[in-house]
Amino acid sequence: MRGYTGDKEAYLKRLRRIEGQIRGLQRMVENDEYCIDVLTQISAATKALQSVSIGLLDEHLKHCVTEAIAEGGRDAEEKVREASEAIARLVRS
Amino acid sequence: MRGYTGDKEAYLKRLRRIEGQIRGLQRMVENDEYCIDVLTQISAATKALQSVSIGLLDEHLKHCVTEAIAEGGRDAEEKVREASEAIARLVRS
Amino acid sequence: MRGYTGDKEAYLKRLRRIEGQIRGLQRMVENDEYCIDVLTQISAATKALQSVSIGLLDEHLKHCVTEAIAEGGRDAEEKVREASEAIARLVRS
Amino acid sequence: MRGYTGDKEAYLKRLRRIEGQIRGLQRMVENDEYCIDVLTQISAATKALQSVSIGLLDEHLKHCVTEAIAEGGRDAEEKVREASEAIARLVRS
């Protein structure tokens, strides 16, 4: 069980749509489509991926981190540290 | 008392340094310095600001959010929701 | 012929690798893998996509924009405006 | 003369406003204001800085890069390379 388990199907659907966008990008490059149009599609796929991360992080804080803190102990600190590192990676990417 | 209170002086020092970078940018523009050099300085100031946010968010999770969850109740959910929204703003900015 | 035509195979290879990363993400979610590990993979795919955009934009400036300017006329202005808009979308995504 | 010279006053005004935002952030931290409110202000300052970069880069392409290309020669390539590197720094910051 993970924080996102309840929305698993919704996340899979979003990831499949992103996979479709990446395959669409390959077709665009194969067909020598205009660079700017390719870039617009990449921006769309990037935003879709970011939005999946924001959702996952929200679920992670709501479930995994909240439970670890509510139970107390060392694991809570570790979970918060991990979440902070994941946030830093997202902000910098 | 806030999550960052313990490091308040360190945060103020970083913000003063960023203020200095922004004033430096004004001097560069006043002296008609080369666009690319101005852009390099803006990237540095942006990274410094992002790094302050990442630090503040980490303190916020470690202190405010952790305390709210440990105490339980409605406030915990609200704090997690707020943190998630702040993360979304950072990732998208 | 597009600015990226010379490196078309290299771009396709990178996009196929990103498609593989997105499919890997789907497997991770299907197997209920740990949220933080999923987030780390999303950051990697996002960086890979950004790096493709940076490359495409560089080719676009080197070829399409440079040619339009060298030929002069209205099209040059349009090409520069378009490139600026694409840059703004990338910076903001 | 730089690409942004025509809008110099407008850029200085924007940078002074950003300097004011950074000083406002220092006051917020000094007064122990709520972390999330500080983060909201940092996001606003970051977006304002990004918007200055996007503007400067646009002017740079429209003027410096366009002129270098129109004049032809080695300098044009160098200018495009420099612009691409500046874009990469912006996208990654």
Side-chain angles (χ1 to χ4, degrees), chain D residues 10-33:
Chain D
Y11 279 110
L12 284 172
K13 211 169 150 182
R14 287 161 80 179
L15 287 169
R16 274 182 223 120
R17 199 179 306 133
I18 295 170
E19 188 194 330
Q21 288 177 300
I22 307 294
R23 268 208 297 268
L25 280 163
Q26 292 167 34
R27 273 191 304 275
M28 290 179 91
V29 168
E30 258 159 23
N31 299 338
D32 294 301
E33 285 188 34

Side-chain angles (χ1 to χ4, degrees), chain C residues 7-25:
Chain C
D7 300 309
K8 201 164 141 171
E9 269 317 307
Y11 279 110
L12 284 172
K13 211 169 151 182
R14 287 160 81 179
L15 287 168
R16 273 182 225 121
R17 199 179 307 134
I18 295 170
E19 188 194 330
Q21 287 177 301
I22 308 295
R23 267 207 299 267
L25 280 163

